[in-house]
Structure formats: structure tokens, C-alpha cells
Amino acid sequence: MIVILGTYTHDVFGQDSTGSPGILRCRLEDATGALTLLDSTPCRNPSFVALSPDGTLLAAAEEMKQGGALHLFSVGEEGALTPLARQPLEGMECCFLEFSPAGNFLTAAHYGSGEAFAWAVSPAGFGERTFSHFDQGTGPVADRQERAHVHSVRLIPSLSAAVVCDLGNDTVSFYRYGEDGSMVPHEIPTLQVPAGVGPRHSEFTPDGSRLYLTGELSNEVLFYALEAGAYVLRQRVSTLPEGFEGFNTAADVHFDGKGHLIASNRGHDSLVTYDLAPDGTLRAPRWVSTGRTPRQFAVAGKWLLCACQDSGEAQVFSLGENGPAGPVSTLAAPGAVCVAIAR
């Protein structure tokens, strides 16, 4: 199995090198969980990487305060990357990417400038920008919610819905997307999440009936159920063990395919696993320690791969009936922040 790691090569001002050369191509041995580096592809600050549904294209976000870009690569044998195109961006800190189900456009988020946008792509490179919206508003956490900060734009194909999480103004908004990447406001009303939550990432069931959000600032997972065309808050649960008093920000969230929901903690430096009850609520949290600052993770069959930014490593955990265990292997990867699985 081929694994692609996105990294920070520098800080977002282009200074203070991490030592990473860019995008790392690795092999995961399915029998043992061993992760080894194959090669690297030069790219400045590819902090988020995403593969097209057919696995033939890789997109990377060059996250910078100024002068950022989208990158597109063709994916060859064994995941080998060939640069195709670079699309300069005017916004600040592009921090998220996702391919459409047909692989013909990307959704993306500019954290610094509060923009959700989409861009047409093909094996020939980048087409036109198909959507752009700048959020407005603030929240009560003065040093983090001084303005809108769009953090992710995910797609629910069954609802033709784009889910836009804005950490800065405590909203989750929904857009109906067309096959060409155009977007208009969805019939699902915008969520005004509880003040100070700071919604970062989302996960959802295939039919969209259940939506889970990480609250980066409140260190929670929020569970919403779709009822009569609107999402209704059903549960708020902490990502941290009782009694923890240190600094923490919740980050990524995914199902593991084994009846659990998993989220990552940066500060407590852990993965928290919840059992999914039949009604969608979260039960019996338990934790496994990670390297420092587990920013993003991905599930690959019986393995979970976690990118640990501040300890500069990618860790492999085994996935069982109780969630992740380990790590079973670790690969040095300076500035590692994102994992994509080349299936």
C-alpha cells in the first residue's frame, strides 16, 4: 500500500525550515504495519494532500500567508508523482482540499481569509474557479475568532451538499453543488454551533443523516442528526479525559469502519475513540497516546496512520475491536501534517 504524506517545509511565512523536502511517498506493509520512505517530491508547504477518487491525480495545498497555490500531480505506478500544474492563489493559508466524487473539481478552504472555494481540475491541469464565498463574523474566543476562518469544505454526495466549517464565526454552512463545481446555498439551514466551539472538521454517514464535528476550541465532538431537513444537536462530548488541565486543540475526525468514531487531540497528544451507539450517540471514550501534535490521520483497512507535526513523524496504529492500538511503527517525517492513502 502506498501512503502520501503532506508536510510543512517551512512556517507559513516561508521562514524557519522544518527539514522536510515536500511531499513524501511511503510504503505501508499490510502484513506488519511497517512504514518506509520511498522518495520525496519537492513542494513548498504541502500541508494538505488529497487523491482523486480514481487515484490518478494528487492535489496539494501550498499553505502560505501570501503567495500560496494549489498543485496537481499525476499518480503513476507505485504512487510515483509527476508535477502537472501549479495554480497561484490570492487568499491566505489554504489548509484543506477534497476532490469531488467525479474527480473533476476540488473544494478548498482559505483559513486566513475566511474563504470556501472550488476549482475545476482535469489530467490537463487546472480549469476555472467554480465557486468562492468569503464568510463574515466573529466569535467569543478573542485570539482565535477575531474573524471568519474557514477550516474545511467536505462533500456529502447523497445530499449534493458541501459542508463548510468556519472556526472563526462558529458556523457550519451548506451549499448545493453542481456536477461542474458550481455552488448555491443548500436547503439545509446554516448551523450556528454553540459559541466558542470553533468547528474544524466534519465526518458524516453516507446518507448524511448523522453529522459529527470537531470543536477545535472547545475540545469536543458534536453530534447532529438531520431531522425534517435541518441538523439538530443531539450530543456534545469532550475529546479529553476527565481531569486533564493542559492546553489542547481538537483536530481531525473519522470513522474507523469498525463501529467507532475517532478524533485527535493536539496537546494531550492522543487519539480518542468512541463507540457508536445505534442512535448515533458516542459512548465509552478511551485514549491512546501519539507523537506530539497529531494534526491529521487516515484509516487504511486494519491500520490507522497519524501525522504528528511537532514530533516530526508518521505513526502507524493497528485497528481492532476497541479502536487503535500501538503505535506499531514510526517513520521520521519532519513537519508531517497530512496523510493520503493511494488505494
Side-chain angles (χ1 to χ4, degrees), residues 138-140 145 164-174 190-200 211 213-216 218 220 222 224 231 233 236:
T138 61
Q145 295 184 308
V164 178
C165 288
D166 192 317
L167 180 149
N169 66 10
D170 285 325
T171 65
V172 179
S173 52
F174 302 89
T190 295
L191 283 177
Q192 186 69 57
V193 305
V197 161
R200 178 185 174 97
L211 174 70
L213 308 172
T214 44
E216 175 170 336
S218 64
E220 293 177 297
L222 285 74
Y224 287 83
Y231 281 106
L233 180 60
R236 299 173 66 176

Side-chain angles (χ1 to χ4, degrees), residues 13-330:
F13 297 97
Q15 303 169 1
D16 297 332
S17 171
T18 66
S20 171
I23 299 171
L24 308 183
R25 184 172 67 105
C26 310
R27 174 174 283 113
L28 175 67
E29 297 295 340
D30 194 51
T32 65
L35 187 66
T36 56
L37 178 66
L38 296 176
D39 60 23
S40 61
T41 299
C43 185
R44 184 175 66 166
N45 270 17
S47 70
F48 207 95
V49 291
L51 283 152
S52 61
D54 65 3
T56 62
L57 295 175
L58 178 87
E62 180 184 338
E63 184 181 350
M64 300 294 295
K65 283 287 187 182
Q66 292 182 323
L70 301 176
H71 293 259
L72 199 63
F73 303 84
S74 63
V75 181
E77 198 72 24
E78 290 288 291
L81 301 181
T82 301
L84 290 176
R86 179 181 186 271
Q87 176 61 56
L89 298 172
E90 296 178 356
M92 294 188 294
E93 297 169 289
C94 183
C95 63
F96 184 89
L97 294 174
E98 182 168 299
F99 272 93
S100 66
N104 64 322
F105 68 89
L106 288 166
T107 62
H110 269 137
Y111 177 85
S113 40
E115 181 190 17
F117 64 103
W119 216 292
V121 295
S122 75
F126 292 97
E128 300 295 320
R129 186 169 61 181
T130 61
F131 171 72
S132 172
H133 176 79
F134 289 88
D135 275 359
Q136 304 294 326
T138 61
V141 183
D143 62 336
R144 295 295 310 278
Q145 295 184 308
E146 81 291 352
R147 61 165 299 162
H149 289 302
V150 174
H151 218 309
S152 60
V153 185
R154 294 206 61 198
L155 300 178
I156 307 179
S158 61
L159 301 177
S160 297
V163 182
V164 178
C165 288
D166 192 317
L167 180 149
N169 66 10
D170 285 325
T171 65
V172 179
S173 52
F174 302 89
Y175 293 87
R176 180 172 291 279
Y177 66 86
E179 294 181 359
D180 61 353
S182 59
M183 297 192 193
V184 297
H186 204 282
E187 296 83 4
I188 298 172
T190 295
L191 283 177
Q192 186 69 57
V193 305
V197 161
R200 178 185 174 97
H201 282 185
S202 63
E203 181 65 294
F204 39 80
T205 52
D207 64 359
S209 63
R210 294 171 179 177
L211 174 70
Y212 300 86
L213 308 172
T214 44
E216 175 170 336
L217 305 182
S218 64
N219 296 307
E220 293 177 297
V221 174
L222 285 74
F223 163 47
Y224 287 83
L226 187 61
E227 300 176 3
Y231 281 106
V232 178
L233 180 60
R234 289 300 178 208
Q235 186 185 27
R236 299 173 66 176
V237 57
S238 177
T239 63
L240 296 170
E242 187 175 353
F244 178 77
E245 297 180 353
F247 177 79
N248 188 78
T249 53
D252 207 11
V253 60
H254 296 287
F255 297 126
D256 71 350
K258 300 178 182 294
H260 310 120
L261 185 80
I262 302 172
S264 62
N265 284 305
R266 298 171 299 173
H268 185 253
D269 294 335
S270 65
L271 298 169
V272 56
T273 300
Y274 308 92
D275 292 336
L276 286 161
D279 63 358
T281 54
L282 304 174
R283 298 286 184 264
R286 58 267 191 195
W287 292 264
V288 62
S289 295
T290 66
R292 287 189 291 123
T293 319
R295 179 167 168 138
Q296 195 259 357
F297 64 92
V299 172
K302 60 185 179 182
W303 307 109
L304 181 152
L305 292 92
C306 186
C308 300
Q309 180 177 353
D310 289 337
S311 53
E313 58 191 342
Q315 295 182 315
V316 181
F317 295 81
S318 62
L319 280 175
E321 293 306 311
N322 291 314
V328 299
S329 70
T330 297

